[in-house]
Amino acid sequence: MPSINEDSLRQGLHNRRRVLGEAWVTQSVENANALNVEFQRMITSYAWDGIWSRPGLDRRTRRIMVLAITAAMGRWEEFELHIRTGLLADPADPEAAALDLATIQEVLLQTAVYAGVPAGNTGMAMVMKVLRELDLVPPKADFFAAPPATAP
């Protein structure tokens, strides 16, 4: 495996901590072993620095893309991680890539159309699981009420 630049590792760890939270990253680093250490270093450098540091998209857009792609591919463990850390992220910190329920709803509606209703349905179930665990269950809604008007 090619050598990984230490500056890239530092920046990747910074990005990873901002998006996934200190506890998750600390656990990943502390759980490094002879089998996974090079993998952890690779994803930290290539994904979390090489991609998440690029200027073309903000972090929130990148997180939204992660949600859509992981739902489409059925990678529910990664989907759940980004739902949880997105909901827990500080909305005032753009580097943390916070999510709100309206955004998650739109991502899953879009995903259901392009990746299939089962992906959207499982995504909704995963979001509700996380919301219950975080004690953030949304209020009941009237199924027969007219949806809110959308902006033109």
Side-chain angles (χ1 to χ4, degrees), residues 20 28 42 47 56 66 127 147:
L20 299 180
S28 295
M42 181 208 44
V66 167
V127 171

Side-chain angles (χ1 to χ4, degrees), residues 105-123:
Q105 179 185 50
E106 291 302 320
V107 168
L108 289 172
L109 288 168
Q110 186 90 2
T111 299
V113 169
Y114 286 93
V117 170
N121 190 43
T122 301

Side-chain angles (χ1 to χ4, degrees), residues 8 11-12 15 44-62 65:
S8 181
Q11 183 60 47
N15 292 346
T44 299
S45 177
Y46 295 132
W48 286 103
D49 180 30
I51 298 301
W52 283 79
S53 290
R54 292 179 56 82
L57 297 171
D58 62 60
R59 289 193 183 167
R60 188 167 183 275
T61 300
R62 290 187 190 282
M65 291 177 66

Side-chain angles (χ1 to χ4, degrees), residues 7-142:
D7 290 337
S8 181
L9 276 178
R10 274 192 290 284
Q11 183 60 47
L13 282 171
H14 170 78
N15 292 346
R16 208 171 165 190
R17 283 185 174 102
R18 301 298 295 185
V19 174
L20 299 180
E22 185 68 40
W24 180 266
V25 177
T26 297
Q27 178 184 3
S28 295
V29 170
E30 287 177 356
N31 287 336
N33 59 51
L35 173 65
N36 70 16
V37 69
E38 289 305 313
F39 179 79
Q40 286 294 322
R41 289 171 57 86
M42 181 208 44
I43 63 172
T44 299
S45 177
Y46 295 132
W48 286 103
D49 180 30
I51 298 301
W52 283 79
S53 290
R54 292 179 56 82
L57 297 171
D58 62 60
R59 289 193 183 167
R60 188 167 183 275
T61 300
R62 290 187 190 282
R63 189 189 299 269
I64 288 168
M65 291 177 66
V66 167
L67 292 177
I69 293 167
T70 56
M73 295 183 69
R75 301 309 314 209
W76 300 114
E77 69 289 344
E78 195 78 11
F79 178 88
E80 181 178 357
L81 170 65
H82 279 273
I83 287 291
R84 180 180 313 283
T85 57
L87 288 168
L88 292 172
D90 179 359
D93 179 3
E95 284 194 2
L99 295 173
D100 55 73
L101 291 183
T103 300
I104 293 169
Q105 179 185 50
E106 291 302 320
V107 168
L108 289 172
L109 288 168
Q110 186 90 2
T111 299
V113 169
Y114 286 93
V117 170
N121 190 43
T122 301
M124 284 288 184
M126 293 294 296
V127 171
M128 287 304 301
K129 172 186 174 280
V130 171
L131 290 171
R132 281 190 296 277
E133 291 169 0
L134 299 176
D135 200 24
L136 297 172
V137 176
K140 290 272 194 193
D142 181 352

